[in-house]
Amino acid sequence: MPAETRGLRVTRAVAAGFDGHSAAALHPDLRTFTADLVRPYGLPLREDLLTEGAGHDYGAMAAGLFEQALPGGEPADLLILAFSSPDVRPAAPASLQLSRHCPGQPTAFAVCDQGSATAFTALRIAAAHHRTGGCRRAVIVLAEQSALHYEPVEPVELPAEHRAVVLVCEEAPGEGLRVRQQAEPDGARALRSVCDEHRQLGPGAGLLLAAELASHGSPETAGAASPGQPFTGVWSLLADRLAERLADRLPGHGALLVADHDRRLGWLSTLTLP
């Protein structure tokens, strides 16, 4: 008799916004690190933000969400911190700091420098790690903070607020999550590709779009993230949708497709949740 298929699924998600700033935003190491980072490119520092201590550190933001995301101290085997905008504690590995606060003290590392695709890459890595047999529960921490302490080469969309999302992925019977990533420079074509993928999932499948994708138009049945959170927006939407599912406020629990497109990098990413 064939062995039962077991995959990794996103079973719950917690999202929260944060006001104010953290003490790390006033640490002199932030100025030193940022100055070293931009000096080869001749980019000016944002002296106003450095002086006022704008920004929030990702470790502090996410650590307070573990109790809600992992009730009863459920232990995790793997923790991945994924971010697009820089942290305000550049000299301290926030993923390792978070592993000490996370039940189970899981293996931890960070993924970055892939724009909005970073979150999907983290999920793809978690699924691959699960297939090795070494991960029954993974925690994916997604974070963005609204301060950029230097002038970018070209205009970029900054988050409207500091925000973190914690995704809990657990082993369950049946097919697990699937991540697809591909080069796609054109946003309108990216949306058409997502809609085709959504139709292939069959009747009853849900669709959640990041704000950039939804700006090209979207089906009436799709959920669209509000503008203002370029990295965490669609994942906050997913947290709301999963909460509705758990509360049985949604009819049926068909497949769910989550999609984001990074315009600057020309990269399309989708996540299918069975």
Side-chain angles (χ1 to χ4, degrees), residues 20-110:
H21 62 271
S22 62
L26 284 169
H27 198 286
D29 282 353
L30 177 60
R31 177 187 294 273
T32 302
F33 176 87
T34 306
D36 289 345
L37 182 73
V38 302
R39 186 175 297 112
Y41 308 100
L43 302 178
L45 296 177
R46 284 290 305 272
E47 295 291 350
D48 55 336
L49 300 182
L50 290 164
T51 300
E52 69 184 59
H56 222 301
D57 82 81
Y58 294 153
M61 290 165 60
L65 301 180
F66 286 151
E67 184 175 350
Q68 185 178 353
L70 298 165
E74 298 173 348
D77 304 302
L78 176 68
L79 184 149
I80 305 177
L81 170 64
F83 58 95
S84 178
S85 52
D87 197 353
V88 297
R89 298 187 69 208
S95 57
L96 301 184
Q97 175 196 359
L98 285 170
S99 71
R100 293 193 288 270
H101 292 278
C102 183
Q105 295 191 334
T107 299
F109 58 91

Side-chain angles (χ1 to χ4, degrees), residues 8-11 123 175-178 201 208 235 238 242 245 253-258 271-274:
L8 199 67
R9 299 188 178 191
V10 180
T11 56
L123 286 160
E175 185 181 8
L177 63 87
R178 300 193 309 275
L201 294 176
L208 302 181
W235 304 105
L238 175 63
L242 291 179
R245 283 189 170 195
H253 287 179
L256 185 60
L257 184 67
V258 181
L271 165 70
T272 302
L273 300 176

Side-chain angles (χ1 to χ4, degrees), residues 114-250:
Q114 297 181 23
S116 65
T118 307
F120 295 85
T121 298
L123 286 160
R124 179 166 52 83
I125 292 172
H129 191 52
H130 169 262
R131 289 192 291 272
T132 70
C135 175
R136 297 185 64 184
R137 181 179 291 116
V139 174
I140 312 296
V141 176
L142 313 173
E144 61 185 342
Q145 55 97 15
S146 63
L148 185 63
H149 296 87
Y150 60 90
E151 294 285 357
V153 175
E154 60 184 50
V156 296
E157 181 187 3
L158 294 176
E161 67 171 351
H162 316 310
R163 194 162 186 83
V165 181
V166 176
L167 306 178
V168 179
C169 306
E170 298 176 293
E171 184 182 71
E175 185 181 8
L177 63 87
R178 300 193 309 275
V179 174
R180 181 174 68 90
Q181 295 180 288
Q182 66 182 56
E184 179 51 81
D186 184 82
R189 282 201 301 265
L191 179 61
R192 289 196 293 271
S193 175
V194 169
C195 290
D196 288 342
E197 187 174 356
H198 178 240
R199 281 192 291 271
Q200 292 172 15
L201 294 176
L207 175 61
L208 302 181
L209 299 174
E212 197 281 330
L213 265 177
S215 69
H216 297 281
S218 62
E220 292 183 2
T221 56
S226 300
Q229 303 298 140
F231 187 67
T232 62
V234 73
W235 304 105
S236 296
L237 191 62
L238 175 63
D240 292 341
R241 181 62 60 92
L242 291 179
E244 291 172 347
R245 283 189 170 195
L246 290 174
D248 288 326
R249 293 200 297 268
L250 288 180

